[in-house]
Amino acid sequence: MNTYKKTLKKKPIIIAGPCAAESEEQIEIAIREGKQRKIDFLRVNLWKPRTKPGFDGLGEKGIPLLVKVAKADINPALEVIIPEHAEMVMNAVLPMLRKDGRLLLWIGSRNQNHLIQKEIARIASRDQRVYLLVKNQPWVSEEHWEGIIGHVLSGGIRKVNLINCHRGFMPNGHNPLGLRNVPDFTMAMKIKEKTKVPILFDPSHTGGIVENVLKMAQEAAKYAFDGIMVEVHHNPKVALTDAKQQLTWKQFDKLLKPNLN
């Protein structure tokens, strides 16, 4: 099995880190581990959409953790749910980035209000150091997925600052592997070709458990994805969100290089 670095013609985009920021200690460990592996962006999610009430992130009080990441010379990445989130994150982080630093904002699968999508894109477009990632919607629809790309581009984000991400679709009947979400690799490649926007794969939200996360990453390596977005926690057993699908950093190494013992 080829690794992502051997499969892709250029260096892939690697986004990794905890599902959600939980504490300063957790993020300090993630900074150290992420820098050792030279990942492109470190996940520092402050707002978490939840199916049921529970820990929904540190919110605004976690912004100092984003600043800590930026000061450590590693690029922060996080989901923003409303335009105000994008505003406050950019205001806090951009002044702290190194000269060639980047900030990645993303619009999650559940966030399908096109007015919000366009406004977040408009705010992100103010600074060329800001990249915007969009995930596909939860239900199967090539037209809708392509439409998301159209909406954010109409908000003003430059295509060179835009990244697409496939995190699978909600299961609808046939799901023999017991995946959390079922990928459609053929559709993902069609969307990449039609929109000319780079696309990443998210094995965490397709797999749902560690074993399937690793399997889905290997399967995706057969296709022309431009990188990967993975949830990684130094101690997944104590994670406050998505504990079953978060890898350890050693498991993350195995995902990128499957032949490691």
Side-chain angles (χ1 to χ4, degrees), residues 19-20 43 45-50 55-57 81 231 241-242:
C19 171
R43 288 179 58 112
N45 235 3
L46 302 182
W47 295 279
K48 290 295 300 178
R50 302 305 302 270
F55 176 70
D56 57 5
I81 301 173
E231 293 183 352
T241 58
D242 284 349

Side-chain angles (χ1 to χ4, degrees), residues 17-18 25-35 42 74 249:
E25 178 187 14
Q26 174 214 35
I27 296 304
E28 288 176 346
I29 294 172
I31 290 171
R32 183 178 70 245
E33 299 287 354
K35 290 188 74 173
L42 180 68
I74 190 166
W249 286 99

Side-chain angles (χ1 to χ4, degrees), residues 7-47:
T7 301
L8 300 171
K9 294 181 180 179
K10 59 183 179 180
K11 183 183 180 299
I13 301 168
I14 306 295
I15 305 170
C19 171
E22 301 166 351
S23 68
E24 185 172 12
E25 178 187 14
Q26 174 214 35
I27 296 304
E28 288 176 346
I29 294 172
I31 290 171
R32 183 178 70 245
E33 299 287 354
K35 290 188 74 173
Q36 286 177 0
R37 291 158 176 83
K38 298 181 180 180
I39 65 174
D40 297 289
F41 294 94
L42 180 68
R43 288 179 58 112
V44 194
N45 235 3
L46 302 182
W47 295 279

Side-chain angles (χ1 to χ4, degrees), residues 33-156:
E33 299 287 354
K35 290 188 74 173
Q36 286 177 0
R37 291 158 176 83
K38 298 181 180 180
I39 65 174
D40 297 289
F41 294 94
L42 180 68
R43 288 179 58 112
V44 194
N45 235 3
L46 302 182
W47 295 279
K48 290 295 300 178
R50 302 305 302 270
T51 301
K52 296 180 179 180
F55 176 70
D56 57 5
L58 298 175
E60 187 174 354
K61 65 182 180 182
I63 287 180
L65 298 179
L66 292 173
V67 172
K68 178 182 284 287
V69 170
K71 286 184 174 180
D73 289 342
I74 190 166
N75 298 320
L78 76 160
E79 179 175 357
V80 290
I81 301 173
I82 56 176
E84 287 77 8
H85 292 165
E87 292 265 14
M88 66 177 72
V89 167
M90 288 171 59
N91 289 340
V93 173
L94 291 178
M96 304 300 170
L97 287 178
R98 64 182 187 269
K99 186 176 180 180
D100 62 344
R102 298 290 183 267
L103 169 64
L104 177 72
L105 306 178
W106 82 75
I107 299 173
S109 179
R110 305 185 196 208
N111 200 348
Q112 294 304 315
N113 183 315
H114 73 281
L115 298 177
I116 290 177
Q117 292 171 342
K118 289 171 66 174
E119 182 61 14
I120 290 174
R122 185 188 67 79
I123 293 167
S125 70
R126 294 175 183 168
D127 196 301
Q128 294 184 11
R129 295 173 295 172
V130 180
Y131 283 72
L132 181 65
L133 178 146
V134 294
K135 292 192 173 186
N136 62 267
Q137 75 288 346
W139 57 90
V140 179
S141 172
E142 183 177 333
E143 182 180 19
H144 188 101
W145 191 356
E146 186 179 358
I148 297 170
I149 302 297
H151 283 309
V152 294
L153 287 173
S154 71

